[in-house]
Amino acid sequence: MRRLVVATTNRGKLREIEMLLDGIPLTLVTLADWPDVAPPDETGRTFAENARLKALYYAHHTGNLTVAEDSGLEIDALGGAPGVESARFGGAGSSYPEKFTLIYDALRAKKDGPPTARFVCALALAAGEAVVFEARGTVEGEIAPMPKGSGGFGYDPIFYYPPFGSTLAEASAERKATVSHRGEAFRKLRAYFTTNL
């Protein structure tokens, strides 16, 4: 069976992706199989640019079909921040509770109406030296008054999704996948694979 490198070391992301691509005739492997390959600098100004950069880099270094994604949280009142800096917001070593505190402090300083926000996921699939497929997914919501829930990962505890009446961290993994930004992007990839494998 053909291998697909999922360019992540994030176990939460990998679990979501495995669920979304279940049944596709590919063996999913991660960057853990290539511990000596250093990550590239994510110099893109957009999620799509970073996804392309990572997909091409890891396809080149592993010699395998590779999917990479770049995703993050955009908060309108903060001018779209943290955006492409979501993982590095507050410094590379900052914890998510620390990132939450920085966001709440910044929103209190703004007082600019409802804290509308969205999660964005851009993915790129690379084969050899070419990007052969790209997709984007978004989910609209707002910043919750306080973190809630222990499911999910990353910014899920502060992302309130009105149709659920809860944060994404309070939703089950299966329910979250039906609406999440990553779910939308990877369902598009799944559709691509059904006709291109």
Side-chain angles (χ1 to χ4, degrees):
M1 195 179 294
R2 192 172 184 186
R3 294 204 299 181
L4 173 66
V5 176
V6 180
T8 189
T9 55
N10 183 314
R11 294 298 308 168
K13 282 186 184 181
L14 182 63
R15 280 191 296 275
E16 275 191 24
I17 293 165
E18 285 173 335
M19 187 171 56
L20 291 160
L21 295 182
D22 186 47
I24 296 294
L26 288 165
T27 300
L28 271 54
V29 294
T30 70
L31 299 178
D33 289 10
W34 289 271
D36 297 333
V37 177
D41 290 330
E42 295 184 31
T43 55
R45 302 284 306 247
T46 66
F47 294 116
E49 287 174 7
N50 279 332
R52 277 184 224 117
L53 179 155
K54 291 188 282 189
L56 289 167
Y57 175 88
Y58 288 116
H60 173 78
H61 283 281
T62 66
N64 285 275
L65 185 67
T66 300
V67 63
E69 59 93 34
D70 197 41
S71 54
L73 178 66
E74 295 179 342
I75 302 170
D76 294 325
L78 303 183
V84 294
E85 296 297 322
S86 290
R88 298 172 289 280
F89 189 63
S94 68
S95 68
Y96 276 95
E98 290 168 335
K99 295 177 199 302
F100 301 165
T101 298
L102 289 173
I103 286 171
Y104 285 120
D105 288 348
L107 286 172
R108 272 193 293 276
K110 286 281 183 188
K111 301 175 187 164
D112 277 349
T116 53
R118 73 203 46 81
F119 275 127
V120 178
C121 173
L123 70 76
L125 180 70
E129 303 297 317
V131 172
V132 296
F133 179 77
E134 292 184 83
R136 178 180 169 93
T138 60
V139 58
E140 299 285 338
E142 56 193 57
I143 302 304
M146 65 184 69
K148 279 190 166 185
S150 57
F153 58 94
Y155 291 100
D156 287 350
I158 66 166
F159 189 85
Y160 180 79
Y161 183 61
F164 286 178
S166 70
T167 68
L168 290 185
E170 294 176 283
S172 69
E174 293 76 16
R175 193 172 190 219
K176 175 188 165 187
T178 65
V179 299
S180 79
H181 54 309
R182 193 168 294 107
E184 181 183 351
F186 275 87
R187 277 190 293 277
K188 292 173 182 174
L189 178 64
R190 183 187 183 90
Y192 169 83
F193 281 145
T194 60
T195 56
N196 289 278
L197 276 182

